[in-house]
Each structure stands twice: as C-alpha cells, then as structure tokens.
Amino acid sequence: MALETEIKLSVPASSARRLPTHPLLADAKPYRQKLVSTYYDTPDRRLQGKRVAVRYRQKGAEWLLTVKSDLPSPGGLAQRNEWEIPGQPGEFDFSHVDNPKLRRFLEAATPELAPLFCTDFTRLSWLLAPQEGTRIEVAMDRGKIDANGRQETICEVELELLEGSVADLFALAIALQKDLPLHPESPSKAERGYRLAANTQRAPVKAADAQLQLGMSSIGVFRSSVFACLTQLQGNERGARESDDPGFVHQARVSIRRLRSAIRLWRPLLPVDYVAEFDPRWGTLARQLGDTRNWDVFLTEVLPPISKAFPDHSDVKAVAKQAAIQLTTCRKAAQAAMASPSYSQLLLEFTAATVALAEKKKPALTVFAPRSLNKRAKKVAELAAETKNSNPEARHDLRKALKRLRYALEFFAPLIPARRLQRYHQSAAGLLDLLGRMNDFTVAEHLVAQALPGHHSDLVRAWLAGRNDLLLAQLDAMLSEFLSHPAPWDQG
C-alpha cells in the first residue's frame, strides 16, 4: 500500500495555458501522456458506499489496476491509500491489497463489477526538486469525464508529493496560486464521475461528523473538526456560485459559523497569529453571505404569511417588490465572493496552516472538553438572565452563545453518552429554533425599514412586532426547561 498525498486545484481553461510558462516550471522538462481510465462498481454502488474507487487506467501500452480510497479532500488536500498493479481490463486480482478487510470486500464484489464511467484526459507533468529531499510532481490534466453519454470537463492541476513534507507541497501550491487562478477542489475525478453517472441534481450539503479516532490529541480533534467544516463548505460552494437555491448559501454560512466556533473553542491551544489571521478572514466571508441569507429568509419564510393576511395591501406588495430587488443584488455579491481569488487563497492558506499545527499532549481531550463545555454553558446561563427585559440584542447574544455550545457538543459528541446528550441536545435545539424565529422577525423589521423607508412599512413592521411578542411569551418557559437539564458531560 502507498499513501498518496496531493493537492488538487481547478483552473479555468482560459488560464491553463499559462501554467507551462510559469517561472517555477521553466527549467523542468514537461512529459506528456494520454490517460484513459474506466471506473468499476456493482449495480448497487457498494464501492461508492465504502468510498473506494476501482479503475483500470491505460498508460501507453500498459494497463494498471488501481484501488484507491476516495475520502474527502478539504482545502484541496487529499491523502489516500492506493494499491496499484499491472493487469488487463475485466480481470480483477486484489491479492495486492494488504488490507484484509478491504480485500475480502473487493473479492466478494468482483463477480458484479461492471464499467460505470470513464475519464479521458491528457496529462502534462513536470518533476520539481525545489530543495534537497523534496520531489513534487506537477500535473495538468485536460479532458473529460464520460458517463452514459453525459460529459463533464476536466481542467485541473495536481501537485503530488513524492518526497518531502506536506509543508513543501503547500508552499509550491501557494506560490503557483499567487500568479494563477487556482482553486482548491474537494471532489476527486471518481466522485465527479459517480455524480455524473447517477445524473443527480446538486443539493445543499449539511454538516457531517468529524473523522475522530481513539487516542487523538486535542489539536488532532480540532484539525479533524475544521476539516469537516471545510468539506461542508466546499460541498456547497458551487451551488452558492451557480444556483439561486437559498439552501446552498445557508449551509455555506452554517459551515463557516461552525468553523469559527471551533477556532474560538480551541483558541487557548492555538497559536495567537493563527487565530488573529484566520478568524477575521472567515468572518469577512460570513458577512458577505449574510445579507443574502437574511433576504432569502424574509422572502421565503417571513413575508408569505403577511401576504396571505393582507393579499391586496399596496404596502405589502411594495415591500415584496423591493425585497426581491435587494435579494438579487445581495445574491450577486455572495456569488462573487464565493468565486473570488481571496476565497480560493483563504481555503489553501487555512488548510496549510491547520495541517502545520504542532501536536500537544496536554491538556488531554478528556480534560479540555468538559472544561470548554462548562465555560460555554456558564455563558449561556448568564445571558439567559439578561433576556428577561425582552431586549433583542440580549436575545441575539444568547442565541450566539447557545449555538457555540451546541457546536462544541457536536465536536465532542463521541466523549458523551449518547442518551444523555440526546435529551440535552433536543432541548437546546427547541430553544434555538424559538430564538431563531424571533431573530428572523427582528432582522425582518430592519430589512423592511431599509426596503421601504417611512410610514409605508408601518403595517408590516407592526405585524412582525406582534409575532415577536407572541413568541416572547414562550421564551421564559423554554429557557427554564433547558437550564434545568443537568450537563451530560459532567455526569459519572
């Protein structure tokens, strides 16, 4: 088994021709080859379910059978197990796979393996040795993925580490990105091929659990947690750029909130300059997406019941018209932010800095986690007392604190008994839902005043204030119920 470490970057076709003339490649002789690969799976996609890819690739006169894990690639970094031997298409000998469990799985699936999709591209590659002990292959692939006649373009750059450190790999990627519009890509060719073969519509991607392992350090859990956030963010970036579906921007914002919450949760263990650089940059991106989400919520959730109650009122119609104009403007700004060079640079630089974080034995996760959760629970309790005066700002602060507690619970969930966590989590979710609806109405009042200044918005704002008052009557009871739950992480 070999561990393949690479960074995958997409490049616009209009800029791809500039790569061979880049100064970092000028002294290296390029090698060109045609690569045609066929990917196999069972009719029920069992290999895809295990995140394993099996392909036959033709390189000149040679055919290679490859088995590769197809794990997420946050920030473009992919580290995958790979097994490869010569063979002939249609013949599957997995005796070279030295993982017994995986080998048995592949051998059981062999009778049902059939071609699913193909990749056909030309690779132009350079071998670089920027310093002694470092060798990196730079490859530019241009071609297509074909699945049952449906096609998708391949135009990407891969940097594969042959010898040296991951830091060397990132240093080269960042240097190339300064001169070329390179964007870190999460999906592999195999993942893109599976999506094309299934002909599925792109859908918003929700948060997934971090990949945690027994014995991980506190920094290791941080790294895994923020990489899970990056995976969610990159799963939504194309939809946010190209679609008007509000779910993509919403889930992108969720991923950024979770990521920033992780940075603040682990701040005592992180380098000061790491936090000082990246937390504000992620905050800027979150704000660029925030106005779009606010107008989306207003138009799809808040305004419809008002329009139903006052179907012919001119002020309500005027608000709806102005809100649609505001949403269009904000959506274009959000799409530009997700397509900007600064976003691509942030992904790559943040991933590089996170990979480079030094491991620390202390504090142990079993000490750090409950201490951090207690701190956040205490903050929630303090802010809960300040909501008695129905101050919207205090409720907003409480909502943010409660979200940070919930995210921390999710990051540390494997350490907490599931039954205790479930009851606590359900209570927190109900309270957050109520606070979220109240916040939507408060934000909507500001949006309406912005969209339709003056007395013309009085009716809509009065309706919103009334709904907020109705919800306020439920808040005390839900707060008391939540605060009465014992902290699940403190129980023996």
Side-chain angles (χ1 to χ4, degrees):
M1 177 189 73
L3 178 65
E4 178 188 62
T5 300
E6 65 180 20
I7 294 175
K8 186 182 296 292
L9 306 153
S10 62
V11 58
S14 58
S15 301
R17 65 180 182 275
R18 292 165 48 198
L19 180 66
T21 62
H22 193 279
L24 291 174
L25 305 180
D27 296 332
K29 182 179 179 180
Y31 177 65
R32 183 184 301 271
Q33 57 183 162
K34 178 84 166 177
L35 299 174
V36 181
S37 303
T38 300
Y39 288 76
Y40 294 80
D41 206 336
T42 61
D44 59 357
R45 307 289 195 269
R46 290 204 294 277
L47 273 64
Q48 183 186 19
K50 291 285 188 180
R51 299 198 68 100
V52 173
V54 169
R55 74 177 184 220
Y56 257 107
R57 169 169 288 180
Q58 184 178 16
K59 297 175 68 174
E62 185 180 34
W63 288 90
L64 295 173
L65 171 63
T66 304
V67 176
K68 185 183 295 191
S69 60
D70 192 31
L71 300 174
S73 306
L77 176 66
Q79 293 182 300
R80 301 184 174 104
N81 295 325
E82 182 181 57
W83 297 264
E84 191 167 69
I85 58 169
Q88 288 296 319
E91 299 178 1
F92 298 100
D93 178 4
F94 297 115
S95 59
H96 66 298
V97 176
D98 57 4
N99 181 317
K101 185 177 181 180
L102 177 58
R103 184 176 65 249
R104 289 192 296 269
F105 167 76
L106 292 170
E107 289 172 346
T110 294
E112 299 179 69
L113 292 178
L116 184 60
F117 59 89
C118 298
T119 62
D120 184 343
F121 57 88
T122 298
R123 170 167 289 177
L124 193 63
S125 58
W126 298 260
L127 183 60
L128 302 185
Q131 59 193 27
E132 187 177 351
T134 299
R135 290 187 305 124
I136 298 172
E137 182 187 63
V138 179
M140 181 170 66
D141 297 341
R142 301 193 66 178
K144 64 183 179 181
I145 303 172
D146 190 297
N148 301 319
R150 293 183 292 274
Q151 294 186 351
E152 188 171 303
T153 300
I154 296 172
C155 190
E156 61 189 27
V157 176
E158 293 183 357
L159 311 181
E160 183 175 356
L161 184 65
L162 305 179
E163 183 182 3
S165 69
V166 176
D168 297 328
L169 195 65
F170 274 108
L172 176 59
I174 291 170
L176 291 172
Q177 194 187 54
K178 288 180 179 178
D179 301 312
L180 295 166
L182 301 175
H183 180 73
E185 287 292 345
S186 180
S188 64
K189 293 183 181 71
E191 188 175 344
R192 293 172 62 192
Y194 272 112
R195 185 182 295 128
L196 194 64
N199 197 26
T200 54
Q201 294 295 317
R202 197 174 296 275
V205 177
K206 295 186 177 181
D209 293 335
Q211 301 295 315
L212 304 185
Q213 299 175 357
L214 194 65
M216 289 179 72
S217 68
S218 295
I219 290 294
V221 175
F222 168 77
R223 188 181 291 113
S224 185
S225 297
V226 295
F227 282 173
C229 296
L230 286 187
T231 298
Q232 182 191 7
L233 174 61
Q234 293 195 264
N236 289 288
E237 63 184 19
R238 184 169 176 180
R241 289 196 306 262
E242 301 174 3
S243 168
D244 290 341
D245 183 338
F248 290 108
V249 169
H250 173 54
Q251 291 301 328
R253 288 187 71 221
V254 169
S255 66
I256 297 170
R257 280 203 307 266
R258 287 171 55 85
L259 188 152
R260 295 187 72 203
S261 183
I263 290 176
R264 294 175 182 188
L265 178 66
W266 269 274
R267 178 160 42 193
L269 308 184
L270 297 173
V272 173
D273 55 349
Y274 176 94
V275 176
E277 177 178 359
F278 292 110
D279 187 51
R281 292 173 69 181
W282 286 117
T284 297
L285 181 60
R287 288 189 293 275
Q288 290 172 322
L289 304 182
D291 287 343
T292 302
R293 178 59 183 167
N294 289 338
W295 285 111
D296 270 326
V297 170
F298 179 73
L299 279 166
T300 61
E301 299 178 21
V302 176
L303 189 59
I306 303 177
S307 298
K308 185 177 180 180
F310 306 99
D312 300 318
H313 201 288
S314 59
D315 289 353
V316 176
K317 292 181 178 180
V319 166
K321 180 179 179 180
Q322 290 300 315
I325 293 172
Q326 293 284 351
L327 174 59
T328 298
T329 301
C330 292
R331 180 171 286 140
K332 288 180 179 178
Q335 290 170 340
M338 294 298 285
S340 68
S342 61
Y343 171 57
S344 300
Q345 292 162 5
L346 175 56
L347 280 175
L348 192 59
E349 292 169 10
F350 178 75
T351 305
T354 303
V355 169
L357 289 172
E359 296 287 349
K360 296 180 179 179
K361 294 183 179 180
K362 293 183 178 181
L365 188 61
T366 51
V367 173
F368 178 72
R371 186 172 67 197
S372 301
L373 290 167
N374 282 329
K375 179 180 178 181
R376 275 151 185 75
K378 181 180 179 182
K379 184 65 174 178
V380 168
E382 291 172 353
L383 290 171
E386 299 178 21
T387 64
K388 304 294 184 181
N389 61 1
S390 72
N391 185 324
E393 289 76 17
R395 293 198 302 269
H396 182 57
D397 289 342
L398 172 62
R399 179 169 172 258
K400 290 193 296 184
L402 192 57
K403 278 187 177 181
R404 289 170 183 163
L405 174 59
R406 186 185 69 178
Y407 295 150
L409 283 167
E410 292 171 355
F411 296 143
F412 296 137
L415 302 177
I416 306 170
R419 184 175 297 179
R420 298 172 185 168
L421 180 60
Q422 184 178 16
R423 291 194 298 267
Y424 192 82
H425 205 284
Q426 286 175 343
S427 180
L431 181 56
L432 272 171
D433 180 65
L434 177 65
L435 289 168
R437 282 182 288 150
M438 296 180 75
N439 184 69
D440 289 343
F441 290 139
T442 300
V443 170
E445 289 186 55
H446 295 297
L447 296 180
V448 169
Q450 176 184 337
L452 202 66
H455 69 277
H456 296 292
S457 62
D458 288 349
L459 172 68
V460 177
R461 285 188 288 155
W463 189 95
L464 293 168
R467 286 300 181 274
N468 235 338
D469 288 342
L470 290 174
L471 294 177
L472 187 61
Q474 306 174 34
L475 183 58
D476 279 353
M478 293 194 71
L479 273 173
S480 298
E481 192 271 337
F482 171 72
L483 294 173
S484 68
H485 283 285
W489 59 90
D490 278 345
Q491 298 184 18

